[in-house]
Amino acid sequence: DRGDVVEVVGATGALQAVLTVQVGSQVSGTIQELSADFNSKVAKGQVIARLDPSLFDARLGQAQANLEAARANAERARTALEDARLKAVRAEALAQEALLPQSDLETARANHESAAAGVKAADASVTQARANVNQAQVDLGHTVIAAPISGVVIARNVDVGQTVAASLQAPTLFVMANDLSRMQVLASVDEADIGAVRPDITRAVDQE
């Protein structure tokens, strides 16, 4: 028989979506609720899981209490500064009339400067406490896991009641694909065979 000789290069690979996204958790905790499962269609921003927020609620309450204490200390420091300022002013007036020793005047000035430094330290403590509150609020918000894209859940790696630990890297809770109508195959072709591949050869094989 006479006929064409066709050389075929075969390869195998994994079929997957063109775009897949791994959904993880930035905080550690226990899975309290799962709102998505395999093949679930979800929209961007939709809540798909929740972690137990009780620990993070407690941290937020503690941070808010520390902020209130820092604000009270700042007010106390400002009151002390005003008292030290008035005493320094009186000491200056008495010293000008030679009614106050020089050492007492220097002490009043030093107390005023120390009180001013105390106000700055108290304000810094308020700023730090406010930052801790913001951090606690962010951590509490991270207990709600939302879908980053619209698509289909193709893998779920956790169950309700399971504990996830976000230490060095975020654990993967879900894997999502944005569009299952567009797929791709990641195949490894032998180096000796790839030289035989030519443009349009796939199209020619498909037509046959």
Side-chain angles (χ1 to χ4, degrees):
D1 293 333
R2 294 176 179 270
D4 297 332
V5 177
V6 179
E7 181 180 5
V8 178
V9 177
T12 59
L15 179 65
Q16 64 182 35
V18 176
L19 176 62
T20 59
V21 177
Q22 295 182 351
V23 183
S25 173
Q26 298 187 32
V27 295
S28 302
T30 303
I31 300 295
Q32 185 181 62
E33 176 186 344
L34 290 175
S35 304
D37 205 341
F38 300 101
N39 297 327
S40 297
K41 293 183 178 181
V42 297
K44 182 178 180 179
Q46 178 180 338
V47 177
I48 56 178
R50 294 179 186 271
L51 300 180
D52 184 5
S54 57
L55 179 61
F56 299 95
D57 282 331
R59 290 178 181 175
L60 177 58
Q62 182 179 2
Q64 291 173 340
N66 292 337
L67 176 58
E68 293 300 323
R71 287 173 174 169
N73 290 334
E75 290 298 325
R76 187 182 300 110
R78 286 184 172 81
T79 302
L81 174 60
E82 181 64 17
D83 181 65
R85 186 188 68 82
L86 294 176
K87 290 180 179 179
V89 170
R90 287 195 297 268
E92 292 283 354
L94 293 174
Q96 290 178 359
E97 298 178 2
L99 298 176
L100 187 71
Q102 183 65 25
S103 59
D104 292 346
L105 175 60
E106 293 175 354
T107 300
R109 290 174 176 173
N111 290 338
H112 180 251
E113 293 176 358
S114 177
V119 169
K120 292 182 180 180
D123 289 340
S125 298
V126 171
T127 301
Q128 182 178 4
R130 187 179 295 111
N132 291 336
V133 170
N134 293 337
Q135 180 64 50
Q137 289 174 338
V138 170
D139 290 341
L140 179 60
H142 285 161
T143 60
V144 179
I145 311 298
I149 62 172
S150 298
V152 180
V153 176
I154 60 176
R156 175 177 60 81
N157 301 325
V158 292
D159 293 307
V160 175
Q162 182 175 342
T163 300
V164 295
S167 53
L168 299 179
Q169 60 182 7
T172 301
L173 308 182
F174 299 91
V175 179
M176 296 181 55
N178 68 328
D179 186 3
L180 292 181
S181 64
R182 299 178 57 198
M183 306 293 287
Q184 65 181 0
V185 177
L186 298 181
S188 298
V189 182
D190 190 88
E191 185 177 357
D193 294 333
I194 195 65
V197 176
R198 295 290 183 270
D200 296 333
I201 186 172
T202 302
R203 184 182 306 170
V205 172
D206 290 343
Q207 291 176 355
E208 293 179 358

